[in-house]
Amino acid sequence: MTMLTYTVLTDPASLEASKAGQSSSFGTVYLMVTNTGSAAAYWLENVVKVPVGNGADHLTPDISLVTATGEFHSLNSGVRTLNVQTQVAAGSFKAADPSSGKIQFAPGDYLVLTLEDVPVAETTGLAVLRVQESASRGPNAKASSSVATVALVKTAAKSLAPSNFRPDQALLEDGDSLVLRWDGPDDLAYTIGLPDGTLASVTAAGEWRPDPKTGPIRDATYTLIATDPATARQHFLTTTVQLREPTFENGIHASRVRGPAGTGRLEFNATGVQVTNEVGAYGEVLAYKVVSNLVKAQRVEGMPSGIGGIEFTAFGIQVSNTSGGQSVVITDRVAADLVNATRVQGPGAFDGSITFPKSGIQVCNGNFDNTPHYGYVFAEAGIYQNQSFSAGTENRWIDLTDGGEVSVKHRRADGTTTYGSLRVSRVDTDAARW
């Protein structure tokens, strides 16, 4: 029979057995050693044997993980710290005074041996601790050995709450698939709360994927709902995924849209859209094709920048080249009621031209030597001109004068020229060719 009384307490009040395949349940065991008798006892040591394993009668599978401490509380001398050794091979803890001597255990004095961070065995049941006592009734008497037993209960582990609800990819690119995962016990019933408020069932342990073509089209928040079938207690976790290119069915409503730092922005006003750059000045809009009923612009330029442009002035349009000077308009056909021009020339630099003096029209051939040469004029009713017309060769030509005279010239091979004249008041012909 022991001289002291032994009692065990645990925190939690009933230790929860660990669940296989999941993180261990931990608890604290307090062994109270009290002198409930009327006479003093002289205590030398206690050796507490702990059943090691994962069976129903075991306390813990690994005694080396337990932190053991001890204190002696005396009504007369106060509190002293005891020396507690973990004997792993023996599966026990030994508590004694640091001096290795005896401690007077007066009636009402007590000792507390604390075993913290105890990983609890997986099987529910009753674990019994065996406490070997070494003590005597006198300070110089030989210590006797006796054994006491104390028991504690391991209850079934409660379902743990799920944790770490997360997507495989928090930012989804085009074509990526959404996969949500979490950590949690398998005996809970799981559902996924979708962004539209509906629920989706979970068919795979610890993960969920939306049906094809039902994934998010913009940033979305999902809710994991874990329900304990036995108690109906629920746990809620949320996670959010983002899309690099979201879709908004009803459009985006904003008075201003800004790009990244250093870029332009769009502002929406009562008349339309205003495009500006990062400093607020008018910006650029680039498009492959623009369809509009009306385009208002002060100037239209070609691409790349600076190859020419059209400016709209109060007098009409002005076409300019890269240096800002007068440019050329090239087209297959121009239809107009009236064209006002001083001179019209063919497309080449040495092509002929037509000038418009007050008296009519003047036709010139190519300006090869910077000196204009008159070309041909064909008309149905006649020719009225006070200039010279070549007859197809530089050796024969006709001069027409304002007085109606026709001067005919012929240059011989020797370089001399003969002249003739013809005076007419009118010539009627279907065609005159020169």
Side-chain angles (χ1 to χ4, degrees):
M1 182 176 178
T2 60
M3 300 180 189
L4 304 173
T5 302
Y6 295 87
T7 306
V8 69
L9 301 171
T10 62
D11 181 19
S14 294
L15 295 179
E16 292 185 0
S18 298
K19 197 165 185 180
Q22 297 185 13
S23 298
S24 298
S25 297
F26 288 86
T28 301
V29 177
Y30 300 96
L31 178 64
M32 293 283 296
V33 183
T34 310
N35 185 358
T36 59
S38 58
Y42 292 86
W43 175 84
L44 181 63
E45 66 180 22
N46 281 128
V47 177
V48 181
K49 179 73 174 180
V50 176
V52 178
N54 269 320
D57 57 348
H58 296 133
L59 173 63
T60 180
D62 191 350
I63 195 175
S64 66
L65 300 178
V66 179
T67 300
T69 58
E71 288 183 342
F72 174 73
H73 295 255
S74 172
L75 295 175
N76 298 321
S77 59
V79 180
R80 71 172 70 184
T81 301
L82 302 178
N83 183 25
V84 181
Q85 298 176 352
T86 302
Q87 299 172 329
V88 177
S92 62
F93 300 95
K94 179 180 178 181
D97 187 70
S99 66
S100 300
K102 295 179 181 179
I103 295 176
Q104 182 181 0
F105 231 109
D109 291 347
Y110 65 93
L111 177 156
V112 180
L113 177 63
T114 303
L115 306 179
E116 295 181 287
D117 301 323
V118 179
V120 183
E122 294 178 357
T123 309
T124 60
L126 189 68
V128 178
L129 307 183
R130 288 177 171 82
V131 184
Q132 180 179 321
E133 174 190 281
S134 293
S136 64
R137 285 300 179 184
N140 298 319
K142 183 179 179 180
S144 62
S145 180
S146 57
V147 176
T149 58
V150 291
L152 52 87
V153 176
K154 298 173 295 173
T155 60
K158 297 179 182 179
S159 296
L160 301 176
S163 62
N164 197 20
F165 184 40
R166 77 278 182 189
D168 277 359
Q169 293 175 268
L171 180 62
L172 298 179
E173 302 280 358
D174 185 25
D176 290 342
S177 297
L178 172 64
V179 180
L180 301 180
R181 302 185 190 277
W182 61 90
D183 300 324
D186 296 335
D187 57 351
L188 296 179
Y190 295 97
T191 54
I192 300 294
L194 303 181
D196 62 1
T198 60
L199 298 177
S201 59
V202 175
T203 58
E207 72 172 51
W208 177 83
R209 304 168 188 260
D211 293 334
K213 299 183 179 180
T214 63
I217 60 175
R218 57 181 175 272
D219 297 357
T221 298
Y222 293 86
T223 303
L224 175 67
I225 306 171
T227 305
D228 189 335
T231 64
R233 182 182 179 185
Q234 291 186 318
H235 305 274
F236 299 89
L237 295 173
T238 60
T239 190
T240 300
V241 295
Q242 295 179 313
L243 271 71
R244 187 175 296 278
E245 297 182 3
T247 299
F248 298 91
E249 304 96 321
N250 298 323
I252 301 175
H253 301 274
S255 60
R256 175 186 295 175
V257 178
R258 300 188 65 174
T263 60
R265 61 190 179 188
L266 295 176
E267 293 191 26
F268 301 89
N269 52 42
T271 58
V273 179
Q274 179 174 301
V275 181
T276 57
N277 58 21
E278 70 276 11
V279 296
Y282 288 121
E284 296 182 355
V285 176
L286 302 179
Y288 176 74
K289 182 179 181 181
V290 177
V291 179
S292 175
N293 292 329
L294 176 64
V295 177
K296 292 185 177 181
Q298 181 177 349
R299 179 178 174 85
V300 178
E301 288 191 358
M303 292 183 63
S305 179
I307 67 170
I310 300 174
E311 291 192 34
F312 299 87
T313 68
F315 304 101
I317 64 172
Q318 177 178 314
V319 182
S320 60
N321 56 22
T322 55
S323 61
Q326 184 178 359
S327 186
V328 178
V329 177
I330 300 176
T331 182
D332 182 63
R333 179 179 180 185
V334 176
D337 293 334
L338 176 64
V339 176
N340 292 324
T342 303
R343 182 179 180 217
V344 177
Q345 183 174 335
F350 300 104
D351 291 341
S353 64
I354 301 174
T355 57
F356 301 91
K358 293 182 179 181
S359 59
I361 64 173
Q362 183 182 68
V363 181
C364 296
N365 61 3
N367 190 9
F368 295 103
D369 57 358
N370 297 323
T371 302
H373 297 272
Y374 299 120
Y376 301 98
V377 175
F378 302 95
E380 294 183 357
I383 302 172
Y384 304 94
Q385 180 72 358
N386 59 353
Q387 298 293 330
S388 296
F389 292 88
S390 172
T393 174
E394 295 183 357
N395 295 326
R396 300 186 299 277
W397 66 91
I398 299 172
D399 286 340
L400 304 180
T401 66
D402 292 337
E405 285 189 357
V406 178
S407 177
V408 182
K409 300 180 181 180
H410 174 70
R411 181 179 292 135
R412 295 189 178 89
D414 59 3
T416 60
T417 302
T418 60
Y419 298 90
S421 64
L422 174 65
R423 184 178 183 84
V424 298
S425 61
R426 179 175 180 178
V427 177
D428 293 324
T429 179
D430 291 338
R433 296 181 181 272
W434 307 89

